[in-house]
Amino acid sequence: MGRKSKKTKIFFIVSILPVVIALIIKLNQFFSDRTAIRGIYIFDNMTIAIYLQFLILILALFYGTSVCSEEVEGKTLTYLTTRPVSKSALIVGKYTAYTSLIIIMTSSGVILSFLILNLNDLLDFSLYKILLRDIIVLSLGLMCYTAFFTFIGTIMKKSILFGLIFSFGWENVIQYFPGSTQRFAIIHYLKSLLPVPRTGRFSFLMFRLEPSPPLFAVFMIFLIIGVFLGLACILFSWKEYIFED
Amino acid sequence: MNPIVETEHLSKWYGNVLGLSDVSLQIEPGITGILGPNGAGKSTFLKLISGQIKPNIGTCAIKGEMIRNNYPLFSNIGFCPEQDAFYEELTGWQFMIGLLKLHHFSFSEIDARARKALEIVDLIEDKDRIIKSYSRGMRQRLKFAQAIAHDPEIIILDEPLNGLDPLGRRKIIHLIKSYKGEGRTIIVSSHVLPEIEAMTKRIILIHQGKIFAQGDVHYIRDLIDTHPHIVSIKCSDPRHLASKFIQEDFVLNVNFNSAEDTLLVETNNRDKFFGLLPSLFVKHNIEVEEITSPDDNLQAVFDYLVGR
């Protein structure tokens, strides 16, 4: 029921920002005399720096935590919990709706950025494989982070603050730890699905110590989705939510 | 008659605050009014019997089945919450459709039920306006509409008349009474006795989380009528009016306010008092500006009844 909300409008604009950046870069290339950098190279870096390390975390954080908290804070939860629908179905239903929405938002931005940056190579079909792979990885990231934040939203009141610390603290630090510690970060599994090493200015963002095998990474991503969504359902059914006056 | 709602030793507390204490009762089909001052435990009771919160002690069953997390039961329960909360950006129509979808009706049935419910509460012409633009009365009626749209057998209404103007109140009271005739169980809470009286004769009094009394409205009325009432009358000649009241045995005390334009009369028989009042005004040609009852609220009555 939140598709018309201010939040959706704001995040739609945020998800379009990389497209604006891509447009500026392309226009700059067009009017400058310098040798043009290949579009796919810029697109690769943009996927990692903007989408993977920032945008999907922000979208998943705000939509995931709101699955439960917006109903509690808005005091509209009563309308849903007095229907012949299990509480787990409510959580899974809202999770699915929000995840689909943010996947569409993100994918639209990624596709538009890709088309703008690769305007001169649109007939090079090998590039579309990269686009498809990036969209799949970002979608898996959105599914995984949203499941985690859905759980956090059902258990915590100050879930946004915790989410920000987790997203830009834990995730950004733990992935660079050696040994098995890096496997405690979701981003480790997402980066394991992308090729290494990439070169260029943003290559440090792609730095991986010991990537997991791609199949194992996919398995872990789905395991994380299942575990956190399951925990969110159990907690939501068990916990009672008292509205504050 | 078999009870529809049955509670045994139902108790609930929020931290150190007692919400409800040891409530055992049975509610049969028809309209039952839950009456009590603000903070008495009415909403806690309704939340417990609708499974929104879990009791610390005791049990609560609807038609013999435990309610908490028993979601199939809700196809037969309609709940109108106390809080004025909505999905503000949706239209009334979208709100109704969205909630009816959760009942697994077919599309055509959802459409028909939403239309019927909005017609009943006189909101059909405003169905395409966003809820944010609705007046308080319209919002109350929309809450009522969502509670009845799926045609439930049990309807639980938490303060449904809050914030309504007299016409809106009459409309909702009429609606609630019309549903009684269809063999439903309606549980309605309020802190205003005349509101409950207008809907039903069967009342449960809640005070400080406990069932204080239950039974026919006349019994409750008798309890309340033994409570002395103070009536404030602002009129053109309060001293003359006072001299007339002083002769009546049901008047216990007569006072004036500091401005001497208002008369305060304490009576132990409200019916006799209000029966005499209009005739005195007419007979002695006294112009009335305002009549209020400073302690005519349920809290004062309860305080009196519990001997405070």
Side-chain angles (χ1 to χ4, degrees):
Chain A
M1 294 212 179
R3 69 189 188 283
K4 283 186 173 180
S5 68
K6 271 185 196 163
K7 185 178 73 184
T8 301
K9 287 171 191 162
I10 291 168
F11 283 113
F12 182 75
I13 293 168
V14 171
S15 69
I16 290 297
L17 282 179
V19 180
V20 177
I21 294 170
L23 205 59
I24 293 167
I25 292 170
K26 197 67 192 170
L27 285 170
N28 186 45
Q29 279 185 349
F30 188 74
F31 290 110
S32 76
D33 296 334
R34 284 188 298 175
T35 319
I37 303 167
R38 275 201 81 194
I40 194 66
Y41 166 78
I42 301 169
F43 174 75
D44 257 355
N45 285 320
M46 191 181 251
T47 304
I48 300 158
I50 300 178
Y51 284 102
L52 192 66
Q53 306 264 82
F54 177 72
L55 201 60
I56 65 164
L57 284 160
I58 289 289
L59 287 173
L61 170 62
F62 280 91
Y63 278 90
T65 51
S66 68
V67 165
C68 174
S69 65
E70 74 178 356
E71 303 289 350
V72 177
E73 283 162 22
K75 299 180 183 177
T76 49
L77 186 65
T78 315
Y79 294 120
L80 304 181
T81 54
T82 52
R83 306 286 150 186
V85 177
S86 71
K87 288 180 180 168
S88 302
L90 290 174
I91 286 285
V92 174
K94 281 197 76 175
Y95 163 81
T96 308
Y98 280 173
T99 308
S100 308
L101 179 73
I102 56 179
I103 285 176
I104 290 168
M105 273 185 191
T106 308
S107 303
S108 312
V110 170
I111 291 168
L112 281 172
S113 307
F114 174 85
L115 292 176
I116 292 166
L117 291 168
N118 295 288
L119 208 57
N120 305 329
D121 301 312
L122 288 180
L123 290 176
D124 182 354
F125 293 106
S126 64
L127 298 183
Y128 291 96
K129 272 189 191 169
I130 296 171
L131 172 68
L132 185 66
R133 183 204 60 211
D134 284 2
I135 288 176
I136 290 171
V137 171
L138 292 174
S139 301
L140 285 172
L142 283 167
M143 287 161 67
C144 199
Y145 282 121
T146 309
F148 176 72
F149 289 128
T150 298
F151 166 69
I152 295 300
T154 54
I155 200 168
M156 276 184 186
K157 272 189 178 173
K158 306 270 181 205
S159 50
I160 294 284
L161 182 66
F162 174 85
L164 287 170
I165 294 167
F166 172 82
S167 301
F168 302 108
W170 177 270
E171 283 288 277
N172 272 336
V173 174
I174 291 296
Q175 61 169 319
Y176 300 119
F177 276 32
S180 325
T181 317
Q182 59 183 304
R183 291 186 171 81
F184 289 104
I186 293 170
I187 201 156
H188 164 82
Y189 301 105
L190 295 173
K191 281 188 173 178
S192 296
L193 298 173
L194 295 170
V196 275
R198 296 183 184 207
T199 53
R201 194 175 296 170
F202 295 102
S203 60
F204 71 95
L205 290 172
M206 206 44 229
F207 174 74
R208 304 179 308 182
L209 286 169
E210 301 149 36
S212 298
L215 266 179
F216 178 72
V218 171
F219 169 77
M220 282 305 292
I221 287 167
F222 280 105
L223 184 70
I224 293 166
I225 294 170
V227 166
F228 283 112
L229 213 49
L231 284 172
C233 290
I234 292 167
L235 203 74
F236 186 64
S237 305
W238 171 78
K239 200 175 165 186
E240 62 180 16
Y241 295 91
I242 313 283
F243 302 138
E244 285 174 10
D245 288 325
Chain B
M1 214 180 287
N2 286 333
I4 300 295
V5 179
E6 209 167 350
T7 70
E8 275 182 34
H9 307 293
L10 204 57
S11 301
K12 176 74 187 173
W13 49 86
Y14 308 100
N16 292 331
V17 181
L18 182 72
L20 206 66
S21 174
D22 199 25
V23 171
S24 299
L25 54 81
Q26 296 183 334
I27 295 174
E28 292 174 354
I31 304 176
T32 302
I34 310 287
L35 186 66
N38 289 328
K42 303 185 296 292
S43 289
T44 298
F45 176 71
L46 297 185
K47 281 175 188 161
L48 282 164
I49 64 167
S50 59
Q52 291 171 66
I53 53 175
K54 44 189 177 184
N56 293 101
I57 298 174
T59 57
C60 173
I62 299 250
K63 291 178 119 180
E65 288 186 53
M66 291 301 142
I67 181 77
R68 177 91 177 146
N69 281 336
N70 191 352
Y71 62 90
L73 270 181
F74 285 100
S75 54
N76 244 334
I77 298 172
F79 187 83
C80 174
E82 181 190 17
Q83 67 270 14
D84 181 44
F86 288 94
Y87 302 98
E88 301 281 349
E89 306 293 332
L90 297 185
T91 64
W93 179 255
Q94 288 168 333
F95 175 70
M96 294 295 294
I97 296 287
L99 293 179
L100 279 167
K101 276 182 184 167
L102 298 174
H103 285 269
H104 317 297
F105 295 126
S106 65
F107 286 118
S108 58
E109 201 172 347
I110 287 171
D111 193 272
R113 282 175 183 272
R115 193 168 293 279
K116 188 182 168 191
L118 289 173
E119 274 169 358
I120 288 172
V121 298
D122 272 349
L123 280 178
I124 195 71
E125 285 180 6
D126 298 292
K127 71 182 175 70
D128 295 322
R129 279 173 55 187
I130 59 167
I131 298 172
K132 204 193 277 183
S133 71
Y134 279 14
S135 68
R136 184 73 199 266
M138 291 164 89
R139 292 161 77 91
Q140 282 293 90
R141 282 185 277 147
L142 185 63
K143 272 199 287 183
F144 187 79
Q146 64 79 32
I148 59 165
H150 53 289
D151 204 17
E153 203 184 323
I154 302 157
I155 303 172
I156 301 169
L157 309 165
D158 196 354
E159 303 265 7
L161 305 177
N162 254 5
L164 289 179
D165 56 32
L167 271 177
R169 279 177 197 210
R170 264 185 68 181
K171 173 89 186 163
I172 296 283
I173 288 170
H174 175 75
L175 279 173
I176 293 169
K177 285 170 86 172
S178 69
Y179 268 79
K180 174 196 169 191
E182 296 175 31
R184 292 187 173 90
T185 302
I186 302 172
I187 303 164
V188 55
S189 78
S190 176
H191 60 278
V192 182
L193 176 64
E195 282 180 4
I196 291 281
E197 257 183 320
M199 288 182 262
T200 182
K201 287 189 164 57
R202 200 190 304 158
I203 294 180
I204 296 168
L205 281 181
I206 294 191
H207 184 55
Q208 291 181 341
K210 290 182 179 165
I211 299 294
F212 187 71
Q214 58 178 312
D216 193 82
V217 71
H218 298 299
Y219 165 67
I220 310 292
R221 255 288 172 212
D222 287 345
L223 279 176
I224 288 170
D225 282 345
T226 55
H227 168 223
H229 275 69
I230 294 175
V231 181
S232 160
I233 306 163
K234 195 172 181 181
C235 60
S236 57
D237 195 353
R239 287 201 171 270
H240 186 56
L241 189 61
S243 68
K244 300 298 161 194
F245 273 130
I246 212 84
Q247 299 161 25
E248 304 296 337
D249 59 355
F250 54 81
V251 172
L252 305 175
N253 199 357
V254 175
N255 262 310
F256 299 96
N257 73 344
S258 53
E260 295 214 350
D261 61 346
T262 302
L263 178 68
L264 296 167
V265 186
E266 188 177 355
T267 173
N268 60 3
N269 192 325
R270 280 161 35 112
D271 291 344
K272 275 190 181 174
F273 176 82
F274 283 111
L276 178 70
L277 196 58
S279 59
L280 286 179
F281 290 146
V282 174
K283 196 173 169 186
H284 301 284
N285 201 21
I286 297 169
E287 284 180 25
V288 192
E289 207 174 306
E290 188 182 64
I291 301 173
T292 54
S293 192
D295 70 350
D296 190 14
N297 61 65
L298 219 50
Q299 183 62 54
V301 173
F302 275 108
D303 288 347
Y304 170 75
L305 293 176
V306 297
R308 277 193 185 176

